[in-house]
Amino acid sequence: MKRFISIAVSVAILLILYSKIDFQGLIQVFRDCDRVWMAVSLGMVIPITMVTSWRLQQLMPQGTSLGFIEANRLILGASVLNMVLPSKMGDIVKAYFMRDRGHLSGSLSLSLVVFEKACDMLSLLLWCVFGLFVYPEKDGLFWTMTLAVTGGLIFGLLLLGSRQFAQIFFVSAIKIAPKKLRQKLQNLQISWQEMHDYFWGDKKQLLIVSATSIFTWFLHLLQIWLFILALKAWTPFIVNLALSPLAILAGLLPLTFAGVGTRDAALIFFYQPYFDVQAGAALGLLCTSRYFLPAIIGLPFLGQMMGAAKKLRQ
């Protein structure tokens, strides 16, 4: 039912957006696109997936091994499940799959995935804060967003870097959370503590994974800028570092299916000083392809991942 509601919300937002857009103009934007840059920008999915897979290998504890091909299969398979399961459950299935294959223990595999997702979010916020601070024309709305994103980054760094702060946060959250969420928060608290013990025990590994996460998100934002070039539109790259993370964050709100609708509306709104709504809508479709292409490539691995998902559910 939650998935159905999210799809319905996405469809409703898209209908409202496209009712205000010249659809023939949108088609014309794609007809007039630079095909070389379009191929390059869509092809960025490959190096991004490979770097993400290499980072997953670096996350593995000493004494365990995860082949590069296996890591790619896990990343792509999780991409498929994230499209059909709520709350990024594909990444949780990925943790179970690693445990099931004997790569590492169940609690540590969950801790690994939690740390991976935390690094992703903090890296995105870091680029967003950097972009917003150098954004040339900030009005009241942009200053508010700058302060909000900076606050989120500081909170995330404290949660990741301070065991005491994390303990206070989880204890407080468990007290006020509804009954259905308490057990999940308690499990997450245990995984978070184990993650602290594991990753802060090896500063070199922590530095490598953190730097790789920041570089990975630079590639993501570069891909979006290349989409703009492919559409024969223009935005300064430094401006793109501020605007594209804001649109991605809007797509992470748990309202729509895979961010479709909210992300499109955010892209049209934020980029309206630089190009028209038809180009903004086209950019939204290309940004959605960033999630669908890895999922399509990962379809051959869906059977194995679904088997792990069924075992996890049981």
Side-chain angles (χ1 to χ4, degrees), residues 29 31-35 227-234:
V29 169
R31 284 178 177 170
D32 295 339
C33 74
D34 188 311
R35 287 169 174 74
F227 284 152
I228 295 173
L229 297 185
L231 295 172
K232 294 185 177 179
W234 172 251

Side-chain angles (χ1 to χ4, degrees), residues 187-202:
N187 292 337
L188 182 58
Q189 181 184 21
I190 294 170
S191 296
W192 202 269
Q193 290 172 346
E194 185 170 1
M195 178 197 69
H196 268 274
D197 294 336
Y198 171 59
F199 287 104
W200 283 102
D202 189 341

Side-chain angles (χ1 to χ4, degrees), residues 3 80-90 93 257 306 309:
R3 181 57 62 183
V80 183
L81 293 180
N82 281 336
M83 297 299 300
V84 297
L85 296 179
S87 305
K88 295 289 185 179
M89 278 297 293
V93 174
F257 173 71
M306 285 301 294

Side-chain angles (χ1 to χ4, degrees), residues 35 40 79 85 92 103 116 146 164-165 178 207 225 236 242 268:
R35 287 169 174 74
V40 171
S79 298
L85 296 179
I92 306 301
H103 293 300
E116 183 185 32
T146 301
Q164 185 178 7
F165 182 84
L207 180 62
W225 187 66
I268 292 172

Side-chain angles (χ1 to χ4, degrees), residues 227-288:
F227 284 152
I228 295 173
L229 297 185
L231 295 172
K232 294 185 177 179
W234 172 251
T235 303
F237 183 68
I238 201 73
V239 170
N240 183 69
L241 290 179
L243 301 183
S244 55
L246 289 175
I248 292 172
L249 290 172
L252 292 177
L253 296 174
L255 302 172
T256 56
F257 173 71
V260 175
T262 50
R263 184 173 53 248
D264 300 74
L267 287 167
I268 292 172
F269 175 76
F270 289 130
Y271 283 94
Q272 60 183 341
Y274 299 95
F275 42 78
D276 59 32
V277 292
Q278 282 73 233
L283 181 60
L285 292 173
L286 289 173
C287 285
T288 299

Side-chain angles (χ1 to χ4, degrees), residues 129-170:
V129 168
F130 174 75
L132 284 170
F133 270 105
V134 298
Y135 187 72
E137 300 177 5
K138 284 193 285 290
D139 54 13
L141 174 62
F142 270 87
W143 274 116
T144 302
M145 290 188 293
T146 301
L147 294 175
V149 174
T150 303
L153 177 62
I154 294 172
F155 174 79
L157 289 173
L158 286 172
L159 202 60
L160 194 64
S162 171
R163 180 191 296 271
Q164 185 178 7
F165 182 84
Q167 184 70 14
I168 293 172
F169 168 77
F170 280 111

